[in-house]
Structure formats: C-alpha cells, structure tokens
Amino acid sequence: MEKARKAVSFIIKIIVSLAIIIFIFRKFDIAKSIDAVKAFNAFLFIPILFIEISTYFLRAIKLFYLLRIENINIKFYKIFKLVFMGAFLNIFFPAGMGDIAKSYYNIRWVEGKKGRIVAINLFNRLTAIASIFFISVFSAIFFKTPKYIYLGIASLIPLMLFLSIPVIYKFKAIKLLNSKIYEKYSFDIFGVFRDNNYSFKNYFVCLLLSVIAWISTYLSLFIIFRDYTEISFLEVILKSPLLVMVKLLPISIGGLGLDEMAISYSFINNVNSKSVVLAAALIYRVIIWAAVLLGGIFVGYEHLNLKKR
C-alpha cells in the first residue's frame, strides 16, 4: 500500500512538472529560446559546473561541522559524497527532503546513533531554509516591497517549529504521537529533536555557511545571464529568496518546471527578449542536473555495496 501511494505521488509530480513546462512553453517562443541556448558560450559550462560543485563542498563543510559537534566522526570525503546523494534524492522527495532521506546511508556508517543522525540532517536542512530570511531582508530593502519579508518569515517557520519541540513535547497528544511513531519505526523522533544542545555559535556558523552556499548557487545563474545581458550579481542574489521558496513547493520533480517558471518571471524585465530568460533557465537546469548526476552514481554505488553485505 505504501509503495502504491509513493508511486501515485511520484506520477502526480511528473504530471505537474510537465503541465508547468507546457504552460511556460506556450507563453514563450520555443524556437527562439532554443536558438538562444545554442548561442550560449559553451566554454562557460565547465566553470559554472565547477561553481555548482563548490556549492556542495560548502554544504559538506556545514554537515561535517554539525556531526563533529555531536562527536560523530565521519571522513570528509564521505560527507561530500553524502551531500551529492541528498541532492540526487531531492529529485524524488518533496520540499528538498532528499537531504533527510540520505540519513539512510549516513546511519549505516555510524552504529547506535540513528536518532542523532536524522536530527542532524533535519537541522542541517532547516537552517539552510531559514538562512533565506537574511537575504530576504536585504531584498525587501533593495526592491522596496514587503513580499520578500513575507518569504523570509515563511523560511523561518520550519526551524522555529524545530526549536519549539521541547515546549510542545509536554502536551499529551504529542507524546501519544511520538509513542505511535516509536511502535512503528522504533525511533524516538521527538526525543532526538528535544535533546538538541546547539549553542548560539553553532546556529551562527550554520546560517552563515548556508547563506554563502545560496550565494554560490545563484552565482551560476548570474554567469549564465551575463552571457546574454547586463545584469548585476546583487540583483540575482536578492531575487533568490523567491526562487528558493518556489523550488521548495512539494508539487514537482526536483523543482522541474517550478524553477524555470520562477526564473522566467523573476528576470523577464532584465532581458531584451523573453526567449533569452527561458534559455537561461533551461541552461541552469542542465547545469544543476549535471552536478546532481554525480549523486546518482554515488547512490547506485551504495546500493550495490548494501547488496554485497
């Protein structure tokens, strides 16, 4: 029954992604967009791909830092590989939860710390989302619109819920829910989140690394746009909160369609031709999935190792 539900959910996301792509294609001149893609400087692919991979390097540093706080020693190259695996799994899981699903592999490298591994990976993801708030504040000032403040507040909500667990755990309903989860999965989910002891310094470092990683991510998009038109790096970064929050909507496959739509409509006034902005969005998609493909190779390798055991 569970497998059937997941299959149906995945099919629905494929349909949604295709529907969004068809909608976008009907609004833009596809022939001109393809011509714009062909006109893109192919020599830029390698440096842009390198920048995209460096983003995962920053994310690996952050996860490595969190694991060390908990005295969980995993070699950095394994963490780096794990981050790529999470990126690949994000294609199949909603709202970027592939970063949590990668705990399945993380747990197998560390004995007896299942709960802490899941909690760390969740905290890692939530601080990445929450860091959007700090960019949003500057976005609201720069563009003189409150919508970015609303996006920033929305990005903080998941982390705030995480931090409120010690309080809400006192309610009988929450304790009952936790016991039901434990009966089914042998996992004290609220317990491991309740016992987090992160300091202000830990939060600051995690949020700072996340902000730097987001900036690195959209540096790639900036370089793509600069091959077509004059646009400032600052403007690309300050529009990133909208791009990130749209991508997190759990209705498509790895943000496919959502990313393209958000980029197209966010930057349509920055270019001379609508076809150029769609071309930039499509090239950005290719770059992202080229990097993520490495994560797919790592996932396949880990599954082969599990079968051999």
Side-chain angles (χ1 to χ4, degrees), residues 61-223:
I61 291 174
K62 180 186 169 189
L63 183 54
F64 183 77
Y65 173 75
L66 285 171
L67 289 167
R68 283 302 175 95
I69 291 172
E70 301 280 351
N71 294 316
I72 298 174
N73 296 314
I74 301 176
K75 291 181 179 179
F76 184 77
Y77 82 89
K78 282 191 172 184
I79 302 295
F80 191 44
K81 181 171 72 170
L82 191 69
V83 169
F84 272 103
M85 291 164 70
F88 176 75
L89 292 171
N90 278 339
I91 296 174
F92 307 100
F93 287 84
M97 286 297 107
D99 284 328
I100 313 305
K102 70 177 184 286
S103 302
Y104 170 78
Y105 303 100
N106 206 168
I107 289 166
R108 292 177 179 274
W109 297 342
V110 182
E111 293 294 332
K113 294 194 176 183
K114 176 181 177 181
R116 293 313 307 161
I117 292 292
V118 174
I120 288 167
N121 279 291
L122 179 60
F123 180 75
N124 181 37
R125 184 61 183 171
L126 296 184
T127 49
I129 296 171
S131 66
I132 288 299
F133 172 79
F134 301 99
I135 301 176
S136 296
V137 172
F138 290 102
S139 302
I141 295 170
F142 185 83
F143 295 115
K144 298 178 181 178
T145 172
K147 73 177 181 181
Y148 285 99
I149 290 294
Y150 303 148
L151 288 170
I153 293 172
S155 73
L156 287 175
I157 291 173
L159 182 60
M160 292 300 101
L161 290 173
F162 175 89
L163 295 176
S164 70
I165 284 177
V167 176
I168 65 174
Y169 192 76
K170 296 175 183 178
F171 293 99
K172 289 183 178 180
I174 298 299
K175 289 184 177 181
L176 180 62
L177 175 62
N178 192 48
S179 64
K180 294 291 183 182
I181 293 172
Y182 188 82
E183 286 175 12
K184 188 171 182 179
Y185 299 105
S186 300
F187 178 40
D188 182 13
I189 186 167
F190 284 97
V192 297
F193 298 152
R194 184 186 66 238
D195 299 334
N196 105 77
N197 295 307
Y198 296 123
S199 67
F200 174 81
K201 176 189 173 183
N202 300 149
Y203 281 98
F204 177 79
V205 171
C206 288
L207 291 168
L208 179 62
L209 286 172
S210 294
V211 169
I212 296 171
W214 286 125
I215 292 172
S216 176
T217 295
Y218 290 102
L219 173 59
S220 302
L221 183 60
F222 165 71
I223 294 172

